[in-house]
Amino acid sequence: MYIKKILWIVAILGLVVMGWFSYRIYDALFTPNTRFSEEQVYVHIPTGADFSQVYEQISPLLEDPESFAAVARQKKYSVNIKPGRYGIERGMNNNTLVNVLRSRNAPLMVSFNNQETLPELAGRIAAQIEADSLELLAAFRDTEFLDAQNLDLRNAIVLYLPNSYEFFWNTSAEEFRDRMKREYERFWTDERVKQAEAQGLTPTEAITLASIVHKETAKVDERPRVAGVYLNRLRRNMLLQADPTVIFAIKEQSGDHDTIIKRVLYKDLALDSPYNTYKYAGLPPGPIAMPDISAIKAVLQPEKHDYLYFVADVENFGYHKFAKTLSQHNRNKAQYVRWINEQNIKR
């Protein structure tokens, strides 16, 4: 009788202990374990990270970091870290959290536009993905890669068409560059190549001209007319005489592309630079900016007209006055010069 009581007690204690352990396991696995108020936050796990780096980053987001670590070890996540960007939802438990970190690398939208140079583009992209600006710039400038595309450092930026693209955060510099090359090739359909050829341009030349059009006017509806002017001048072997190319040449010479230049001076027109279209005929050696798609399409489908000149319209800001003759243009220009002098814009 005494032995039976002991056995019953042992059995009951065993059940209690098993129940306690089961509860602890269940609690560690399935009890919500987040401590942020947002619906979702993201953690970024670097390439080559170990569990200590993951733990350091995720701990501030959790009520009980140690229980997360225990579950991560139990599920062998701690020895199988995967880099990437992971969305952690409010109220997640450790079991779901580990599953997310193992399998749900969340893509993000990478956007860029208006960059004038490869270093500016590298800095913009580095702020959005894991690759740093130096890695990106090295990939952009890789001579073997550029040679294969029949490009050089002056026109390499043509490959990067401004838009928003879906990437994984841990995309490498080379993967980003190669994806942009594919997007460029996808954009240049046979139809668009033929449209460029109809204007006497290659795709690279079309983007170079589009960069000038883009800088000349922010008005999308005016861009086909501006493109038509420059194409008319090219066909007549006239100098393009585009102020934005002079501004770019000044920035290139100074090495400071953050310089703001509101007025081109007569002395600037003598600047000896292949980008100065007042001094050198034809297109500059590469784009002076990253044109958006509307500017490229304006070059491929320009307005057909006889205009050869244009100047800013001070009566309709943002737009331009167009002229077919130099005498008409000079009258329009005189009105603009008076206005800019009245505004006391020196540079």
Side-chain angles (χ1 to χ4, degrees):
M1 202 62 186
Y2 181 73
I3 294 175
K4 285 184 178 181
K5 287 183 178 180
I6 292 175
L7 290 175
W8 272 107
I9 292 171
V10 170
I12 292 170
L13 287 174
L15 289 172
V16 170
V17 170
M18 287 177 60
W20 182 80
F21 274 112
S22 297
Y23 170 77
R24 291 286 295 177
I25 293 171
Y26 180 90
D27 184 60
L29 285 170
F30 300 115
T31 298
N33 190 28
T34 59
R35 57 176 300 179
F36 50 85
S37 59
E38 299 90 339
E39 287 296 320
Q40 186 176 57
V41 298
Y42 288 92
V43 294
H44 298 80
I45 310 301
T47 300
D50 59 21
F51 185 67
S52 65
Q53 291 171 277
V54 176
Y55 184 79
E56 181 180 1
Q57 186 174 163
I58 206 168
S59 290
L61 305 175
L62 305 180
E63 290 286 354
D64 183 3
E66 286 302 320
S67 67
F68 161 75
V71 172
R73 287 191 290 268
Q74 184 66 29
K75 300 188 74 163
K76 302 192 185 309
Y77 168 72
S78 60
V79 292
N80 188 25
I81 308 299
K82 294 184 178 180
R85 173 179 179 262
Y86 298 93
I88 309 303
E89 295 177 6
R90 187 177 63 196
M92 269 187 176
N93 58 53
N94 290 327
N95 187 59
T96 303
L97 182 53
V98 171
N99 289 341
V100 165
L101 294 174
R102 288 199 304 195
S103 61
R104 299 185 199 169
N105 190 1
L108 73 161
M109 299 305 294
V110 173
S111 302
F112 58 91
N113 59 8
N114 295 331
Q115 281 66 56
E116 292 186 3
T117 66
L118 291 176
E120 287 181 357
L121 175 62
R124 175 73 176 269
I125 302 306
Q128 300 176 75
I129 65 174
E130 181 181 18
D132 66 34
S133 59
L134 293 179
E135 292 170 335
L136 286 159
L137 189 56
F140 298 165
R141 288 175 167 173
D142 181 5
T143 54
E144 184 175 346
F145 170 80
L146 292 177
D147 288 344
Q149 320 311 319
N150 293 315
L151 297 172
D152 57 40
L153 290 175
R154 295 177 300 180
N155 57 25
I157 203 168
V158 300
L159 289 177
Y160 306 94
L161 298 174
N163 209 331
S164 294
Y165 302 92
E166 188 174 85
F167 279 96
F168 288 112
W169 174 77
N170 54 310
T171 297
S172 71
E174 291 76 14
E175 288 170 337
F176 174 83
R177 178 201 64 195
D178 294 347
R179 163 74 181 284
M180 289 298 95
K181 171 181 170 289
R182 293 194 297 273
E183 295 291 343
Y184 173 86
E185 292 169 343
R186 187 176 294 117
F187 175 82
W188 282 105
T189 60
D190 290 343
E191 180 183 3
R192 286 188 172 126
V193 171
K194 289 178 182 177
Q195 287 175 334
E197 290 173 347
Q199 307 305 327
L201 304 170
T202 66
T204 298
E205 290 170 336
I207 291 179
T208 298
L209 180 54
S211 71
I212 300 174
V213 173
H214 178 98
K215 283 293 188 178
E216 283 285 14
T217 178
K219 301 296 185 181
V220 172
D221 59 327
E222 189 184 53
R223 284 175 173 170
R225 178 168 290 190
V226 171
V229 171
Y230 284 129
L231 287 165
N232 286 345
R233 295 180 75 90
L234 285 172
R235 293 187 188 105
R236 298 191 183 200
N237 294 316
M238 297 173 66
L239 292 170
L240 290 184
Q241 296 184 327
D243 286 2
T245 67
V246 179
I247 292 171
F248 184 86
I250 294 170
K251 292 178 178 181
E252 277 286 287
Q253 189 176 76
S254 69
D256 182 7
H257 280 268
D258 293 326
T259 301
I260 296 175
I261 299 173
K262 295 182 178 180
R263 183 174 186 175
V264 173
L265 307 177
Y266 284 112
K267 68 176 183 179
D268 298 328
L269 306 184
L271 183 65
D272 190 13
S273 166
Y275 289 96
N276 182 358
T277 56
Y278 278 85
K279 189 175 181 68
Y280 291 95
L283 292 166
I288 60 169
M290 179 184 291
D292 66 25
I293 302 302
S294 71
I296 299 172
K297 289 182 176 179
V299 170
L300 299 182
Q301 302 174 60
E303 182 180 313
K304 294 182 179 179
H305 52 63
D306 296 325
Y307 295 127
L308 292 171
Y309 309 92
F310 63 93
V311 68
D313 186 349
V314 298
E315 297 171 337
N316 189 13
F317 288 104
Y319 286 93
H320 294 79
K321 285 188 174 181
F322 294 82
K324 298 177 181 179
T325 66
L326 182 58
S327 59
Q328 181 185 8
H329 171 66
N330 284 337
R331 289 193 295 272
N332 294 338
K333 182 180 176 182
Q335 184 183 29
Y336 169 71
V337 171
R338 282 196 301 273
W339 178 85
I340 201 170
N341 286 336
E342 289 170 0
Q343 306 308 308
N344 198 32
I345 299 174
K346 304 296 185 182
R347 189 44 143 174

